[in-house]
Amino acid sequence: GAGVSQSPRYKVTKRGQDVALRCDPISGHVSLYWYRQALGQGPEFLTYFNYEAQQDKSGLPNDRFSAERPEGSISTLTIQRTEQRDSAMYRCASSQGQVNSGNTIYFGEGSWLTVV
Amino acid sequence: GEDVEQSLFLSVREGDSSVINCTYTDSSSTYLYWYKQEPGAGLQLLTYIFSNMDMKQDQRLTVLLNKKDKHLSLRIADTQTGDSAIYFCAEAYSSASKIIFGSGTRLSIRP
């Protein structure tokens, strides 16, 4: 597609429920990233995929958070048993290749998650 | 450790130059970036600089990199009301394919 597409744009869920956030990267982009941005903060790295391989998940806060990209394109970030502290903007980004080789990351509009 | 630091706020008069500063910790950073975030909008890449450069100019934007001091700055000439936004500094590591962001500097413009 023309840009990184995320859905849903807004999600309100009750504490304890599971949520799944979807990311559709730019066509042909092999690298995909998930970031979380709380109000008044900068984006915080969560995880990174190269094709379908999850190569870095060091930023996932705990084992309630998981991500997959089974066919190397669309990715899903899942948060189980949501807690109020999970409320934030979740941003997906993609790039043609690795950023440390000079490739630019393009961000989607984000998914606002509110846990009540 | 991974740390990118910026001052939280900057206020400048319309027409003046704005200078937003950033310090980072990873001396092996390959690329350093400036992103702009307007209210309710996504993250827009403004400009970036490769670590072997010390300056990059792009129209009203000038990026200065002092690698010895691990200091990056963004200068916006002739600041306009449309420049009001949060500006994020970010660095890409040589050892990992991810970029790390600072907390952002909120730029406000006085008439």
Side-chain angles (χ1 to χ4, degrees), chain A residues 6 21 35-36 65 77 79 86 88-91 110-111 113:
Chain A
Q6 292 187 245
L21 306 176
Y35 283 80
R36 176 170 70 174
F65 287 73
L77 177 70
I79 309 171
D86 299 333
M89 166 76 83
Y90 289 83
R91 295 192 185 274
S111 293
L113 174 65

Side-chain angles (χ1 to χ4, degrees), chain A residues 2-100:
Chain A
V4 179
S5 176
Q6 292 187 245
S7 62
R9 291 291 313 279
Y10 303 94
K11 176 72 177 177
V12 180
T13 190
K14 288 186 178 178
R15 191 175 51 194
Q17 297 291 308
D18 298 350
V19 297
L21 306 176
R22 174 190 163 114
C23 172
D24 195 350
I26 293 172
S27 179
H29 279 194
V30 303
S31 298
L32 185 145
Y33 310 80
W34 282 100
Y35 283 80
R36 176 170 70 174
Q37 186 175 13
L39 278 175
Q41 301 285 324
E44 172 195 17
F45 172 80
L46 295 178
T47 188
Y48 155 68
F49 289 86
N50 187 39
Y51 295 97
E52 72 280 1
Q54 189 175 21
Q55 297 203 325
D56 186 340
K57 55 180 182 178
S58 61
L60 295 176
N62 51 58
D63 60 8
R64 295 187 298 106
F65 287 73
S66 62
E68 61 174 12
R69 193 186 186 199
E71 295 177 5
S73 179
I74 290 168
S75 176
T76 303
L77 177 70
T78 302
I79 309 171
Q80 295 179 308
R81 306 181 302 281
T82 52
E83 300 176 6
Q84 285 185 322
R85 60 180 170 151
D86 299 333
S87 297
M89 166 76 83
Y90 289 83
R91 295 192 185 274
C92 178
S94 70
S95 61
Q96 279 189 317
Q98 295 189 333
V99 292
N100 49 5

